[in-house]
């Protein structure tokens, strides 16, 4: 036998009492997604196989038109891997409904990770391609630091609060 061949006897023994991880799936979970139904609080597949925006679990998104062509989107909750796609879909939907300018109120967003930033960039790309824009308001200092580190403060105009964002509608103020 060669020197590099591992035999049954030389394989390290498992620690007693430690089990291998189990992988389980719920029966019918894949079938429910294929039918277009989903659990409450989640997005579902529409008839074309694309994700249709619906309520986003763990994230509250309210859209209110303040001026013709301008909507304030109030986001409450954490923006992470589980909520980012729902946020992006709601922003694109708000723009498609007629709001050329979206003011995102982030005052009640305690956490936004890289997936959240990716969702904002994705929504920006879709919305700006059709002449729209996204403006951020009420961004917390830690999130503003993240925007600066990633260079996204140059992509999004950032205002101290919603009132400043609405007042600065005609001019690109903020950190741009």
């Amino acid at each position: 036998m060669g020197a590099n061949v591992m035999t049954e006897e030389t394989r390290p023994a498992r620690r007693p009492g430690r089990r291998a991880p189990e992988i389980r799936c719920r029966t019918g979970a894949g079938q429910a997604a294929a039918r277009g139904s989903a659990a409450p609080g989640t997005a579902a597949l529409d008839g074309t196989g694309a994700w249709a925006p619906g309520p986003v679990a763990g994230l509250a998104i309210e859209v209110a038109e303040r001026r013709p062509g301008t909507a304030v989107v109030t986001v409450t909750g954490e923006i992470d891997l589980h909520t980012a796609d729902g946020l992006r879909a709601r922003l694109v939907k708000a723009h498609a409904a007629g709001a050329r300018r979206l003011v995102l109120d982030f005052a009640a967003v305690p956490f936004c990770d890289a997936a959240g930033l990716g969702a904002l960039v994705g929504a920006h790309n879709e919305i700006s391609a059709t002449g729209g824009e996204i403006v951020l308001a009420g961004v917390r200092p830690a999130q503003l630091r993240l925007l600066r580190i990633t260079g996204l403060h140059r992509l999004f105009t950032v205002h101290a609060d919603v009132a400043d964002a609405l007042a600065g509608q005609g001019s690109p103020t903020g950190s741009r």
Side-chain angles (χ1 to χ4, degrees):
M1 218 183 266
N4 293 332
V5 177
M6 183 178 261
T7 63
E8 185 86 7
E9 295 81 37
T10 60
R11 190 176 306 161
R14 282 200 124 133
R15 286 192 270 176
R18 188 167 186 195
R19 298 186 328 211
E22 295 180 26
I23 300 173
R24 297 181 185 199
C25 65
R26 288 183 244 152
T27 306
Q31 296 160 348
R35 287 190 305 267
S37 61
T42 62
L45 289 174
D46 65 10
T48 65
W51 287 103
V56 180
L59 193 66
I61 304 168
E62 295 179 25
V63 181
E65 188 170 358
R66 294 286 176 93
R67 296 181 181 162
T70 299
V72 175
V73 181
T74 304
V75 183
T76 305
E78 296 184 351
I79 304 171
D80 57 17
L81 181 64
H82 302 291
T83 59
D85 286 338
L87 174 63
R88 187 198 58 76
R90 291 289 301 272
L91 295 175
V92 170
K93 183 179 177 182
H95 175 67
R100 188 192 80 72
R101 185 171 193 256
L102 298 177
V103 176
L104 270 62
D105 183 2
F106 266 44
V109 176
F111 177 80
C112 181
D113 67 4
L117 294 179
L120 290 176
V121 171
H124 170 270
N125 291 343
E126 280 189 61
I127 291 170
S128 66
T130 57
E133 71 172 323
I134 296 176
V135 175
L136 303 179
V139 178
R140 294 176 183 222
Q143 296 163 354
L144 186 57
R145 181 173 178 263
L146 188 57
L147 289 171
R148 288 191 174 126
I149 289 171
T150 58
L152 293 177
H153 68 288
R154 293 186 299 259
L155 185 65
F156 298 103
T157 302
V158 181
H159 294 274
D161 55 29
V162 172
D164 286 350
L166 292 173
Q169 185 164 347
S171 62
T173 59
S175 63
R176 207 181 230 189

